[in-house]
Amino acid sequence: MSGTSGSRRSRTVAAAAAAALALLASGCGGGSGGSAAPSPDSTYSAVVAAAEPPSTAAGFSTVEIQGIKIGAPKNWSIDKTGGQLCMRPPGQDSCGYGAVKVIPHVAANDPNKWPKKQYNNPDGWASDPGACRSLGTAESGGTGVSGAEQVDVDNPQGLTQHADGLKSHHRVWDVTCENGDTFEVRLWFLPQSDIAVYAWSVDARYSTLYDEIARSMNTDDYKRD
């Protein structure tokens, strides 16, 4: 009997060990193994809880349009016109050079359905990509464009994750004007939500700040229909 009991105990221990190893292997491999890559505008982080926009202690305040909350630099001016929110840096009187736009239902309200159909194109930086937006020409709008190219962003997939866990298509363009001027345009586009965060013409002094503003966006209270 003792030999039979010992044999049963050995088999039980071996089975338990095998089960534990299987469970460990499952836990380690659960994040890969052929699962689809996170898709833009639909994936929430399972590890990091959704965050609010940057705190006021960091020099930001929370602004809102149609349920979209986003961090705005405290010393920037805020406008809400035409269903859009505009953040203007100090010294800028219009929503143009250096400004950031937050545009709900962007493609639905654009006559060319921009940027839904254009964001992957070299000339996808604007619905009508014909006018130069450099510092010297932005106000007049009378100078044409001679070419544009889409440039790489930090994320190799071209994605940015926002405070609510959603991911947007992040695109950057370098645009050359007919007079030789150049300017940069940045776009963060959530296709399912149809929201754009748009740096109309980048002021290099705020290069890092644009990215911080975009990442802070939280759309939990936004009505997508």
Side-chain angles (χ1 to χ4, degrees), residues 153-177:
V153 297
D154 290 340
N155 183 290
Q157 293 179 308
L159 304 177
T160 291
Q161 182 164 311
H162 301 276
D164 55 8
L166 294 183
K167 293 183 179 181
S168 67
H169 294 291
H170 180 198
R171 299 293 182 267
V172 176
W173 292 268
D174 284 339
V175 187
T176 302
C177 306

Side-chain angles (χ1 to χ4, degrees), residues 37-224:
S39 59
D41 198 13
S42 62
T43 302
Y44 286 86
S45 171
V47 178
V48 181
E52 286 298 314
S55 67
T56 53
F60 284 79
S61 59
T62 300
V63 295
E64 180 270 338
I65 183 168
Q66 296 185 28
I68 302 168
K69 296 178 182 179
I70 193 166
K74 280 187 173 182
N75 61 338
W76 287 34
S77 300
I78 306 300
D79 302 319
K80 294 183 184 180
T81 57
Q84 303 180 10
L85 183 149
C86 179
M87 306 180 199
R88 293 183 285 110
Q92 292 297 326
D93 297 327
S94 63
C95 193
Y97 183 81
V100 177
K101 296 182 179 183
V102 181
I103 314 174
H105 308 290
V106 54
N109 293 323
D110 186 271
N112 298 317
K113 303 303 179 186
W114 178 88
K116 186 175 183 178
K117 296 182 178 181
Q118 300 92 344
Y119 70 88
N120 272 328
N121 298 336
D123 61 352
W125 54 272
S127 178
D128 181 9
C132 181
R133 297 177 179 177
S134 67
L135 177 60
T137 65
E139 288 192 18
S140 67
T143 303
V145 169
S146 60
E149 64 174 342
Q150 201 170 91
V151 298
D152 292 337
V153 297
D154 290 340
N155 183 290
Q157 293 179 308
L159 304 177
T160 291
Q161 182 164 311
H162 301 276
D164 55 8
L166 294 183
K167 293 183 179 181
S168 67
H169 294 291
H170 180 198
R171 299 293 182 267
V172 176
W173 292 268
D174 284 339
V175 187
T176 302
C177 306
E178 290 178 344
N179 66 351
D181 286 359
T182 61
F183 64 96
E184 179 182 310
V185 177
R186 298 185 191 181
L187 170 71
W188 293 262
F189 177 52
L190 287 81
Q192 296 176 29
S193 299
D194 198 20
I195 298 171
V197 177
Y198 187 47
W200 190 84
S201 181
V202 167
D203 185 331
R205 294 176 297 175
Y206 308 115
S207 182
T208 301
L209 197 57
Y210 293 122
D211 295 331
E212 293 178 11
I213 291 170
R215 285 195 298 266
S216 76
M217 183 170 62
N218 188 317
T219 66
D220 286 345
D221 296 327
Y222 170 69
K223 294 183 179 180
R224 289 163 171 79

